[in-house]
């Protein structure tokens, strides 16, 4: 084959290699988001499940917390989810301190059958925390499914509301644009406060995150039932 033919062949090979690299990069980007499951690649990137924050989760910790604080759950545990319609009793004084493991065990015990699964919360200092979860909003009319991570502040806003501020947010390995993160922050804050609004006489005296623990002191309902 003459030099002209070799040059043409080399050019074609470069084009093929370029196309293959482009396809690989596209697949990697999609797999990195965790929104589409690409066999092997999604698993290798670790985006087929929520990010592990290294927090121990044990249902026994949840059972102990409920018993030690005199909390009564009238419905099966799996029915208590962030989106459930829960009826609360009148509040009673409560002074409780939870570790990252206790809080994460509570959230997994009560939410793993719902839209937000595999929840881990790693508590820090100065009302700051990290959270990871696997979110599937298909049943709520949204085409979204994948691992989500966020870090930020969570603190008392009033005697019956809380306030959130997100510093960083990701879907899989990819950062969420600031505009979308702000909308997610507001939606999550609204959902929490909407649930708090259903608690008659709720009174938040203290809500602090410090030394890897969440401390609540005030009046909080001790009986809950999903209706």
């Amino acid at each position: 084959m003459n030099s002209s033919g070799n040059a043409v062949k080399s050019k074609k090979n470069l084009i093929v290699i370029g196309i293959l690299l482009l396809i690989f990069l596209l697949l990697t980007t999609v797999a990195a988001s965790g929104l589409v499951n690409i066999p092997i690649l999604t698993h290798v990137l670790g985006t087929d499940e929520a990010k592990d924050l290294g927090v121990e989760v044990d249902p026994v910790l949840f059972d102990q917390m409920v018993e030690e604080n005199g909390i009564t759950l009238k419905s099966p545990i799996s029915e208590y989810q962030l989106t459930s319609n829960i009826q609360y009793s009148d509040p009673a004084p409560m002074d409780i301190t939870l570790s990252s493991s206790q809080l994460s065990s509570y959230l997994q015990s009560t939410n793993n059958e719902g839209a937000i699964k595999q929840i881990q919360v790693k508590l820090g200092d100065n009302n700051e925390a990290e959270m990871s979860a696997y979110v599937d909003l298909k049943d709520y009319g949204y085409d979204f499914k994948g691992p989500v991570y966020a870090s930020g502040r969570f603190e008392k806003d009033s005697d019956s509301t809380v306030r959130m501020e997100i510093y960083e947010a990701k879907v899989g390995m990819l950062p969420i644009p600031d505009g979308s993160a702000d909308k997610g922050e507001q939606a999550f804050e609204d959902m929490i406060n909407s649930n708090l609004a259903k608690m008659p006489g709720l009174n938040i005296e203290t809500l602090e995150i410090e030394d890897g623990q969440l401390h609540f002191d005030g009046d909080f309902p001790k009986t809950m039932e999903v209706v």
Side-chain angles (χ1 to χ4, degrees):
M1 182 180 295
N2 57 36
S3 59
S4 177
N6 287 333
V8 171
K9 184 177 179 180
S10 296
K11 186 175 181 180
K12 288 182 178 179
N13 288 338
L14 286 174
I15 292 173
V16 171
I17 291 172
I19 292 173
L20 291 175
L21 284 173
L22 179 60
I23 291 173
F24 177 76
L25 288 172
L26 287 172
L27 289 175
T28 301
T29 301
V30 172
S33 73
L35 299 178
V36 177
N37 182 31
I38 298 176
I40 301 178
L41 191 55
T42 297
H43 180 70
V44 168
L45 291 172
T47 53
D48 53 348
E49 58 185 5
K51 180 180 180 180
D52 185 4
L53 301 181
V55 177
E56 177 190 1
V57 176
D58 188 341
V60 174
L61 294 175
F62 167 72
D63 294 336
Q64 291 174 344
M65 182 194 71
V66 169
E67 183 177 351
E68 290 172 0
N69 290 279
I71 297 172
T72 301
L73 303 177
K74 291 188 174 182
S75 304
I77 292 174
S78 61
E79 293 185 13
Y80 292 89
Q81 301 166 17
L82 289 177
T83 54
S84 297
N85 185 18
I86 302 174
Q87 182 175 330
Y88 299 92
S89 67
D90 290 334
M94 180 182 288
D95 188 344
I96 185 173
T97 299
L98 301 176
S99 67
S100 297
S101 290
Q102 289 173 314
L103 180 58
S104 297
S105 297
Y106 160 71
L107 291 171
Q108 285 206 21
S109 295
T110 56
N111 283 281
N112 263 9
E113 299 298 323
I116 307 176
K117 306 173 177 65
Q118 303 173 18
I119 305 173
Q120 284 189 44
V121 177
K122 187 174 183 179
L123 302 169
D125 295 295
N126 194 31
N127 288 328
E128 295 181 341
E130 298 176 76
M131 187 188 84
S132 67
Y134 193 87
V135 179
D136 185 352
L137 301 179
K138 180 179 63 177
D139 293 340
Y140 298 90
Y142 296 96
D143 187 17
F144 182 91
K145 180 180 180 181
V148 172
Y149 166 86
S151 64
R153 287 175 63 86
F154 179 84
E155 58 191 337
K156 171 182 174 179
D157 185 42
S158 73
D159 290 343
S160 58
T161 60
V162 298
R163 178 172 61 246
M164 295 181 60
E165 180 183 356
I166 293 180
Y167 301 157
E168 179 186 13
K170 294 181 179 180
V171 174
M173 300 171 65
L174 304 180
I176 298 176
D178 289 342
S180 297
D182 290 343
K183 290 179 181 178
E185 171 189 302
Q186 190 61 54
F188 196 45
E189 181 181 298
D190 289 345
M191 181 173 65
I192 293 174
N193 285 327
S194 176
N195 278 283
L196 295 180
K198 299 175 183 177
M199 301 179 184
L202 170 69
N203 180 37
I204 304 173
E205 291 286 346
T206 302
L207 183 64
E208 296 177 340
I209 298 174
E210 202 68 46
D211 296 326
Q213 294 184 316
L214 172 67
H215 178 216
F216 171 89
D217 184 19
D219 298 313
F220 197 87
K222 290 194 172 184
T223 302
M224 309 172 194
E225 182 178 9
V226 178
V227 295

